[in-house]
Amino acid sequence: MTNPATTDIVEHWVDGKPWTGESTRTAPVFDPALGVAQRSVRMATGEDVGVAVAAAAAALPAWADSSVATRHRFLLDFRELLNARKDELASILTAEHGKVLADAAGEIARGLEVVEFALSMPHLLKGEFSQNASTGIDVYSVREPVGVVGIVSPFNFPAMVPLWFFPIAIAAGNTVVLKPSEKDPSAANWLAALAADAGLPAGVLNVVHGDKEAVDALLTHPQVAAISFVGSTPIAEHVYRTATAHGKRVQALGGAKNHMLVLPDADLDLAADAAVNAGFGSAGERCMAVSVVLAVDSIADDLVARVAARMTGLRTGDGRRGCDMGPLITREHRDRVAGYLDTAVADRARLVVDGRDSAVDGDPNGFWLGPTLIDRVPITSAVYRDEIFGPVLSVVRVEGFEHAVEIVNASPYGNGTAIFTNDGGAARRFQRQVHVGMIGVNVPIPVPVAYHSFGGWKASLFGDAKAYGPNGFAFFTREKAITSRWLDPSHGGIDLGFPRNR
């Protein structure tokens, strides 16, 4: 298997092999810890996307008709290969995204959980059967693949998010065209090549690289039946509106502004540890990061002090050096995130820990911003309102439980939230009253395990289907109901009346 992270140009993967396509346009792929381009990625035209879709469409009839046992065997082999070679993939993630190796290993572990869940497909693809629903008539249902599936995945989880979708899509008998982020594209090619090594037929999983031109080509292509997307809310809304206007089934997961409420009775050491872990892991570049701590006034000073004390021990630097937090994905993104610190000061918030002053264990040209803590952030500030997507933790002080719930529910986002308390009644009220899709009780990042489903409410999810879990198989299949009667010699002959139950 050729390692795409060692080639000068990351090409597309179409019909079971690397493919250049017609486009001569490329984009740089950086090592964020060094601040230099390490290779380029081929950027597809709409015509290139069409070739990939055609390959998936050509592979569809045979794969959709393959036995459940054949697909199950592929998933078993793919899971074993991925587990055996996960360190290789982690190195690719760190080199192109910048996350530390421990974060990369965790990302792969969560992706593996979905592959393992997809192995339950023989059970989850079963239909239902009603015998003798009417005299001599049986009614039953079957689940069939939807067809060619387009997957558009973000830069922050270049392995995990594709693994949320394509193992389930393939298990259900679909074929796939995956468009990963052009910022860290090599993981997608590596996964596609690994799938080929595991015995996946050519054309079942294809990868095209590119930007908006490639995405829009997938959204509008008449042979693409469904789209799975993860990214920012504005783009998720564009994906949903465009793809549904072209008759496609869509699940589009958008952005977030996740709150963590800390009540006075909480274990403040546990809460402080959780805030640091959830706020600064993966440099805050994850949609389930805690970006806002809602601290009740009576314990806010104490909590802020404990969080700040823990931040002093964090090492920011090259993810290959055993650091706690790596760089941001691009120089432009680093500069945009750092700009929010000036906004906070202008809005009279208190900059407790300034990540721009952090010592860095890495090349000075890397895209660095250390962990940042801002206290007394007004909810009118862009620091509170915007999805910053970086290592910036805001503290908003609240009067009490009701005030906190009002703030959470007023947010346009509804991805994840958490409450830290030792009061079971308060926790139960919180989980019932907040308008959010995923809730943690003394758990800061409530990402569901693979046999549940992932997704938020409000502007965090467009479409009805969440990712993976039971929702995943429902999204990637269509139900067909069959009403059947086999006549015997005693049937009653011709009857032109409306069918009657007997």
Side-chain angles (χ1 to χ4, degrees):
M1 173 176 140
T2 300
N3 187 341
T6 62
T7 57
D8 292 332
I9 299 179
V10 181
E11 304 287 6
H12 314 297
W13 180 277
V14 175
D15 207 19
K17 58 187 179 298
W19 180 69
T20 300
E22 296 299 321
S23 175
T24 59
R25 188 165 62 100
T26 62
V29 179
F30 285 86
D31 183 327
L34 302 178
V36 297
Q38 53 186 331
R39 62 187 58 85
S40 299
V41 59
R42 188 78 62 184
M43 304 291 275
T45 64
E47 290 75 16
D48 292 334
V49 172
V51 172
V53 172
L60 179 63
W63 186 248
D65 198 43
S66 64
S67 68
V68 169
T70 295
R71 285 178 253 152
H72 195 261
R73 191 177 308 113
F74 157 71
L75 286 168
L76 279 170
D77 292 344
F78 179 73
R79 189 266 174 203
E80 292 305 300
L81 283 177
L82 179 55
N83 189 53
R85 300 178 62 178
K86 59 190 176 186
D87 291 345
E88 182 182 329
L89 179 56
S91 296
I92 294 173
L93 301 181
T94 296
E96 289 190 354
H97 175 273
K99 63 181 63 182
V100 301
L101 284 169
D103 268 347
E107 170 179 349
I108 296 165
R110 295 310 298 263
L112 265 167
E113 287 181 11
V114 180
V115 178
E116 291 162 357
F117 167 73
L119 284 163
S120 61
M121 46 87 83
H123 171 69
L124 292 171
L125 292 177
K126 290 189 301 186
E128 297 177 317
F129 192 98
S130 295
Q131 181 174 282
N132 225 33
S134 187
T135 303
I137 294 178
D138 302 326
V139 180
Y140 58 97
S141 63
V142 295
R143 306 204 69 88
E144 296 187 350
V146 296
V148 176
V149 172
I151 298 171
V152 181
S153 63
F155 75 82
N156 58 323
F157 288 105
M160 185 184 73
V161 170
L163 288 168
W164 279 2
F165 296 119
F166 79 75
I168 296 176
I170 288 172
N174 302 280
T175 57
V176 172
V177 178
L178 166 64
K179 207 300 287 183
S181 171
E182 67 277 16
K183 295 180 177 67
D184 42 15
S186 296
N189 282 37
W190 189 93
L191 288 167
L194 192 78
D197 288 349
L200 191 67
V204 176
L205 175 60
N206 307 275
V207 179
V208 291
H209 302 287
D211 49 17
K212 186 176 185 296
E213 180 178 356
V215 173
D216 285 345
L218 274 177
L219 302 184
T220 59
H221 197 290
Q223 287 184 290
V224 175
I227 294 288
S228 298
F229 172 86
V230 176
S232 68
T233 286
I235 301 177
E237 186 170 10
H238 166 75
V239 166
Y240 179 76
R241 293 188 184 280
T242 304
T244 54
H246 286 81
K248 304 186 192 318
R249 178 179 293 189
V250 182
Q251 51 180 176
L253 283 67
K257 195 72 178 182
N258 303 317
H259 301 77
M260 176 178 139
L261 170 59
V262 182
L263 294 182
D265 68 307
D267 182 324
L268 294 189
D269 285 323
L270 174 66
D273 288 343
V276 171
N277 294 338
F280 306 123
S282 198
E285 292 177 325
R286 52 189 181 190
C287 68
M288 289 298 287
V290 167
S291 53
V292 179
V293 173
L294 299 174
V296 175
D297 287 325
S298 62
I299 50 90
D301 287 342
D302 191 358
L303 180 62
V304 168
R306 294 182 195 224
V307 171
R310 284 159 171 77
M311 292 170 63
T312 61
L314 297 179
R315 286 178 57 212
T316 301
D318 194 314
R320 293 156 290 214
R321 298 184 183 180
C323 295
D324 299 299
M325 195 185 86
L328 274 71
I329 185 69
T330 64
R331 179 174 284 106
E332 293 77 14
H333 183 57
R334 187 273 315 277
D335 292 346
R336 187 187 74 84
V337 173
Y340 280 99
L341 278 60
D342 294 327
T343 300
V345 173
D347 291 340
R348 301 183 182 277
R350 175 177 168 242
L351 194 53
V352 181
V353 179
D354 189 336
R356 296 170 296 190
D357 300 332
S358 295
V360 173
D361 183 6
D363 191 289
N365 295 312
F367 309 141
W368 308 112
L369 180 66
T372 296
L373 179 63
I374 308 173
D375 189 15
R376 299 184 182 275
V377 176
I379 60 174
T380 55
S381 173
V383 175
Y384 170 77
R385 296 195 315 269
D386 296 352
E387 184 183 27
I388 296 175
F389 223 62
V392 178
L393 185 62
S394 300
V395 177
V396 173
R397 299 189 176 217
V398 295
E399 298 168 3
F401 180 92
E402 289 78 10
H403 185 201
V405 171
E406 288 176 7
I407 291 175
V408 173
N409 287 345
S411 172
Y413 301 107
N415 209 44
T417 191
I419 182 171
F420 276 72
T421 180
N422 283 314
D423 184 338
R428 190 171 187 274
R429 280 182 63 202
F430 185 78
Q431 72 184 49
R432 288 174 62 85
Q433 292 181 9
V434 292
H435 304 158
V436 175
M438 293 171 284
I439 299 166
V441 177
N442 297 318
V443 174
I445 303 181
V447 176
V449 292
Y451 42 89
H452 288 267
S453 296
F454 178 102
W457 288 12
K458 299 187 287 189
S460 295
L461 176 67
F462 295 85
D464 297 323
K466 294 185 175 185
Y468 64 77
N471 276 223
F473 275 101
F475 181 78
F476 289 121
T477 58
R478 294 182 294 184
E479 187 178 67
K480 182 180 289 182
I482 300 99
T483 302
S484 171
R485 177 172 63 178
W486 294 97
L487 300 181
D488 61 38
S490 64
H491 76 85
I494 295 173
D495 183 353
L496 300 184
F498 196 84
R500 297 181 299 276
N501 293 330
R502 296 175 180 173

PDB file of all heavy atoms in Angstrom, residues 283-304:
ATOM      1  N   ALA A 283      -6.500  21.367  20.414  1.00  0.00           N
ATOM      2  CA  ALA A 283      -6.395  22.821  20.234  1.00  0.00           C
ATOM      3  C   ALA A 283      -7.766  23.477  20.077  1.00  0.00           C
ATOM      4  O   ALA A 283      -7.901  24.521  19.445  1.00  0.00           O
ATOM      5  CB  ALA A 283      -5.494  23.169  19.049  1.00  0.00           C
ATOM      6  N   GLY A 284      -8.783  22.856  20.656  1.00  0.00           N
ATOM      7  CA  GLY A 284     -10.122  23.417  20.579  1.00  0.00           C
ATOM      8  C   GLY A 284     -10.778  23.276  19.220  1.00  0.00           C
ATOM      9  O   GLY A 284     -11.882  23.788  19.009  1.00  0.00           O
ATOM     10  N   GLU A 285     -10.135  22.575  18.308  1.00  0.00           N
ATOM     11  CA  GLU A 285     -10.661  22.434  16.944  1.00  0.00           C
ATOM     12  C   GLU A 285     -11.556  21.194  16.852  1.00  0.00           C
ATOM     13  O   GLU A 285     -11.283  20.260  16.109  1.00  0.00           O
ATOM     14  CB  GLU A 285      -9.516  22.358  15.932  1.00  0.00           C
ATOM     15  CG  GLU A 285      -8.749  23.659  15.803  1.00  0.00           C
ATOM     16  CD  GLU A 285      -7.567  23.550  14.851  1.00  0.00           C
ATOM     17  OE1 GLU A 285      -6.931  22.465  14.801  1.00  0.00           O
ATOM     18  OE2 GLU A 285      -7.257  24.533  14.169  1.00  0.00           O
ATOM     19  N   ARG A 286     -12.626  21.200  17.606  1.00  0.00           N
ATOM     20  CA  ARG A 286     -13.591  20.114  17.531  1.00  0.00           C
ATOM     21  C   ARG A 286     -14.964  20.652  17.905  1.00  0.00           C
ATOM     22  O   ARG A 286     -15.097  21.501  18.791  1.00  0.00           O
ATOM     23  CB  ARG A 286     -13.186  18.944  18.423  1.00  0.00           C
ATOM     24  CG  ARG A 286     -12.878  19.258  19.861  1.00  0.00           C
ATOM     25  CD  ARG A 286     -12.269  18.046  20.565  1.00  0.00           C
ATOM     26  NE  ARG A 286     -11.977  18.314  21.970  1.00  0.00           N
ATOM     27  CZ  ARG A 286     -11.274  17.492  22.747  1.00  0.00           C
ATOM     28  NH1 ARG A 286     -10.788  16.371  22.248  1.00  0.00           N
ATOM     29  NH2 ARG A 286     -11.044  17.781  24.013  1.00  0.00           N
ATOM     30  N   CYS A 287     -15.963  20.142  17.232  1.00  0.00           N
ATOM     31  CA  CYS A 287     -17.311  20.692  17.407  1.00  0.00           C
ATOM     32  C   CYS A 287     -17.897  20.357  18.756  1.00  0.00           C
ATOM     33  O   CYS A 287     -18.905  20.948  19.157  1.00  0.00           O
ATOM     34  CB  CYS A 287     -18.233  20.209  16.284  1.00  0.00           C
ATOM     35  SG  CYS A 287     -18.584  18.446  16.340  1.00  0.00           S
ATOM     36  N   MET A 288     -17.294  19.430  19.496  1.00  0.00           N
ATOM     37  CA  MET A 288     -17.795  19.093  20.821  1.00  0.00           C
ATOM     38  C   MET A 288     -16.940  19.698  21.930  1.00  0.00           C
ATOM     39  O   MET A 288     -17.134  19.392  23.104  1.00  0.00           O
ATOM     40  CB  MET A 288     -17.875  17.579  20.987  1.00  0.00           C
ATOM     41  CG  MET A 288     -18.990  16.935  20.177  1.00  0.00           C
ATOM     42  SD  MET A 288     -20.637  17.506  20.652  1.00  0.00           S
ATOM     43  CE  MET A 288     -20.838  16.671  22.231  1.00  0.00           C
ATOM     44  N   ALA A 289     -15.988  20.567  21.582  1.00  0.00           N
ATOM     45  CA  ALA A 289     -15.187  21.235  22.604  1.00  0.00           C
ATOM     46  C   ALA A 289     -16.070  22.093  23.491  1.00  0.00           C
ATOM     47  O   ALA A 289     -17.037  22.696  23.028  1.00  0.00           O
ATOM     48  CB  ALA A 289     -14.118  22.102  21.946  1.00  0.00           C
ATOM     49  N   VAL A 290     -15.743  22.160  24.775  1.00  0.00           N
ATOM     50  CA  VAL A 290     -16.391  23.126  25.650  1.00  0.00           C
ATOM     51  C   VAL A 290     -15.764  24.482  25.375  1.00  0.00           C
ATOM     52  O   VAL A 290     -14.555  24.660  25.524  1.00  0.00           O
ATOM     53  CB  VAL A 290     -16.224  22.749  27.129  1.00  0.00           C
ATOM     54  CG1 VAL A 290     -16.617  23.911  28.037  1.00  0.00           C
ATOM     55  CG2 VAL A 290     -17.078  21.528  27.462  1.00  0.00           C
ATOM     56  N   SER A 291     -16.564  25.429  24.936  1.00  0.00           N
ATOM     57  CA  SER A 291     -16.040  26.767  24.667  1.00  0.00           C
ATOM     58  C   SER A 291     -16.541  27.796  25.656  1.00  0.00           C
ATOM     59  O   SER A 291     -15.988  28.887  25.742  1.00  0.00           O
ATOM     60  CB  SER A 291     -16.392  27.197  23.236  1.00  0.00           C
ATOM     61  OG  SER A 291     -17.772  27.067  22.994  1.00  0.00           O
ATOM     62  N   VAL A 292     -17.602  27.460  26.407  1.00  0.00           N
ATOM     63  CA  VAL A 292     -18.168  28.388  27.394  1.00  0.00           C
ATOM     64  C   VAL A 292     -18.411  27.646  28.707  1.00  0.00           C
ATOM     65  O   VAL A 292     -19.117  26.633  28.731  1.00  0.00           O
ATOM     66  CB  VAL A 292     -19.505  28.983  26.903  1.00  0.00           C
ATOM     67  CG1 VAL A 292     -20.073  29.918  27.965  1.00  0.00           C
ATOM     68  CG2 VAL A 292     -19.329  29.713  25.588  1.00  0.00           C
ATOM     69  N   VAL A 293     -17.827  28.151  29.775  1.00  0.00           N
ATOM     70  CA  VAL A 293     -18.142  27.665  31.112  1.00  0.00           C
ATOM     71  C   VAL A 293     -19.128  28.646  31.729  1.00  0.00           C
ATOM     72  O   VAL A 293     -18.846  29.848  31.846  1.00  0.00           O
ATOM     73  CB  VAL A 293     -16.882  27.558  31.990  1.00  0.00           C
ATOM     74  CG1 VAL A 293     -17.261  27.218  33.430  1.00  0.00           C
ATOM     75  CG2 VAL A 293     -15.930  26.505  31.430  1.00  0.00           C
ATOM     76  N   LEU A 294     -20.296  28.142  32.103  1.00  0.00           N
ATOM     77  CA  LEU A 294     -21.291  28.929  32.824  1.00  0.00           C
ATOM     78  C   LEU A 294     -21.060  28.692  34.314  1.00  0.00           C
ATOM     79  O   LEU A 294     -21.362  27.614  34.841  1.00  0.00           O
ATOM     80  CB  LEU A 294     -22.705  28.514  32.423  1.00  0.00           C
ATOM     81  CG  LEU A 294     -23.065  28.688  30.942  1.00  0.00           C
ATOM     82  CD1 LEU A 294     -24.441  28.093  30.662  1.00  0.00           C
ATOM     83  CD2 LEU A 294     -23.036  30.158  30.552  1.00  0.00           C
ATOM     84  N   ALA A 295     -20.478  29.674  34.975  1.00  0.00           N
ATOM     85  CA  ALA A 295     -20.100  29.519  36.381  1.00  0.00           C
ATOM     86  C   ALA A 295     -21.048  30.335  37.257  1.00  0.00           C
ATOM     87  O   ALA A 295     -21.197  31.552  37.071  1.00  0.00           O
ATOM     88  CB  ALA A 295     -18.663  29.980  36.597  1.00  0.00           C
ATOM     89  N   VAL A 296     -21.687  29.676  38.210  1.00  0.00           N
ATOM     90  CA  VAL A 296     -22.558  30.380  39.151  1.00  0.00           C
ATOM     91  C   VAL A 296     -21.698  31.345  39.970  1.00  0.00           C
ATOM     92  O   VAL A 296     -20.581  31.014  40.396  1.00  0.00           O
ATOM     93  CB  VAL A 296     -23.308  29.384  40.043  1.00  0.00           C
ATOM     94  CG1 VAL A 296     -24.113  30.121  41.108  1.00  0.00           C
ATOM     95  CG2 VAL A 296     -24.224  28.502  39.195  1.00  0.00           C
ATOM     96  N   ASP A 297     -22.216  32.556  40.185  1.00  0.00           N
ATOM     97  CA  ASP A 297     -21.435  33.641  40.779  1.00  0.00           C
ATOM     98  C   ASP A 297     -20.695  33.237  42.047  1.00  0.00           C
ATOM     99  O   ASP A 297     -19.542  33.615  42.257  1.00  0.00           O
ATOM    100  CB  ASP A 297     -22.357  34.831  41.094  1.00  0.00           C
ATOM    101  CG  ASP A 297     -22.782  35.576  39.838  1.00  0.00           C
ATOM    102  OD1 ASP A 297     -21.970  35.670  38.905  1.00  0.00           O
ATOM    103  OD2 ASP A 297     -23.936  36.054  39.797  1.00  0.00           O
ATOM    104  N   SER A 298     -21.347  32.462  42.903  1.00  0.00           N
ATOM    105  CA  SER A 298     -20.767  32.174  44.220  1.00  0.00           C
ATOM    106  C   SER A 298     -19.485  31.354  44.156  1.00  0.00           C
ATOM    107  O   SER A 298     -18.669  31.412  45.091  1.00  0.00           O
ATOM    108  CB  SER A 298     -21.799  31.459  45.097  1.00  0.00           C
ATOM    109  OG  SER A 298     -22.172  30.217  44.516  1.00  0.00           O
ATOM    110  N   ILE A 299     -19.291  30.607  43.064  1.00  0.00           N
ATOM    111  CA  ILE A 299     -18.071  29.779  42.965  1.00  0.00           C
ATOM    112  C   ILE A 299     -17.210  30.174  41.766  1.00  0.00           C
ATOM    113  O   ILE A 299     -16.200  29.536  41.491  1.00  0.00           O
ATOM    114  CB  ILE A 299     -18.427  28.279  42.877  1.00  0.00           C
ATOM    115  CG1 ILE A 299     -19.490  27.997  41.785  1.00  0.00           C
ATOM    116  CG2 ILE A 299     -18.907  27.772  44.235  1.00  0.00           C
ATOM    117  CD1 ILE A 299     -18.934  27.694  40.427  1.00  0.00           C
ATOM    118  N   ALA A 300     -17.576  31.237  41.065  1.00  0.00           N
ATOM    119  CA  ALA A 300     -16.886  31.575  39.816  1.00  0.00           C
ATOM    120  C   ALA A 300     -15.426  31.931  40.038  1.00  0.00           C
ATOM    121  O   ALA A 300     -14.543  31.464  39.301  1.00  0.00           O
ATOM    122  CB  ALA A 300     -17.618  32.722  39.118  1.00  0.00           C
ATOM    123  N   ASP A 301     -15.128  32.762  41.046  1.00  0.00           N
ATOM    124  CA  ASP A 301     -13.730  33.148  41.285  1.00  0.00           C
ATOM    125  C   ASP A 301     -12.865  31.925  41.571  1.00  0.00           C
ATOM    126  O   ASP A 301     -11.752  31.787  41.038  1.00  0.00           O
ATOM    127  CB  ASP A 301     -13.647  34.120  42.462  1.00  0.00           C
ATOM    128  CG  ASP A 301     -14.160  35.512  42.118  1.00  0.00           C
ATOM    129  OD1 ASP A 301     -14.259  35.822  40.908  1.00  0.00           O
ATOM    130  OD2 ASP A 301     -14.460  36.272  43.052  1.00  0.00           O
ATOM    131  N   ASP A 302     -13.373  31.047  42.417  1.00  0.00           N
ATOM    132  CA  ASP A 302     -12.631  29.839  42.791  1.00  0.00           C
ATOM    133  C   ASP A 302     -12.410  28.951  41.565  1.00  0.00           C
ATOM    134  O   ASP A 302     -11.306  28.442  41.330  1.00  0.00           O
ATOM    135  CB  ASP A 302     -13.407  29.092  43.867  1.00  0.00           C
ATOM    136  CG  ASP A 302     -12.600  27.967  44.522  1.00  0.00           C
ATOM    137  OD1 ASP A 302     -11.440  27.748  44.117  1.00  0.00           O
ATOM    138  OD2 ASP A 302     -13.142  27.303  45.424  1.00  0.00           O
ATOM    139  N   LEU A 303     -13.461  28.767  40.768  1.00  0.00           N
ATOM    140  CA  LEU A 303     -13.344  27.906  39.589  1.00  0.00           C
ATOM    141  C   LEU A 303     -12.358  28.478  38.575  1.00  0.00           C
ATOM    142  O   LEU A 303     -11.505  27.751  38.033  1.00  0.00           O
ATOM    143  CB  LEU A 303     -14.712  27.715  38.938  1.00  0.00           C
ATOM    144  CG  LEU A 303     -14.741  26.834  37.682  1.00  0.00           C
ATOM    145  CD1 LEU A 303     -14.286  25.407  38.012  1.00  0.00           C
ATOM    146  CD2 LEU A 303     -16.128  26.819  37.067  1.00  0.00           C
ATOM    147  N   VAL A 304     -12.430  29.775  38.319  1.00  0.00           N
ATOM    148  CA  VAL A 304     -11.505  30.396  37.364  1.00  0.00           C
ATOM    149  C   VAL A 304     -10.064  30.232  37.834  1.00  0.00           C
ATOM    150  O   VAL A 304      -9.159  29.924  37.034  1.00  0.00           O
ATOM    151  CB  VAL A 304     -11.865  31.880  37.164  1.00  0.00           C
ATOM    152  CG1 VAL A 304     -10.755  32.610  36.409  1.00  0.00           C
ATOM    153  CG2 VAL A 304     -13.182  32.013  36.409  1.00  0.00           C
TER     154      VAL A 304
END
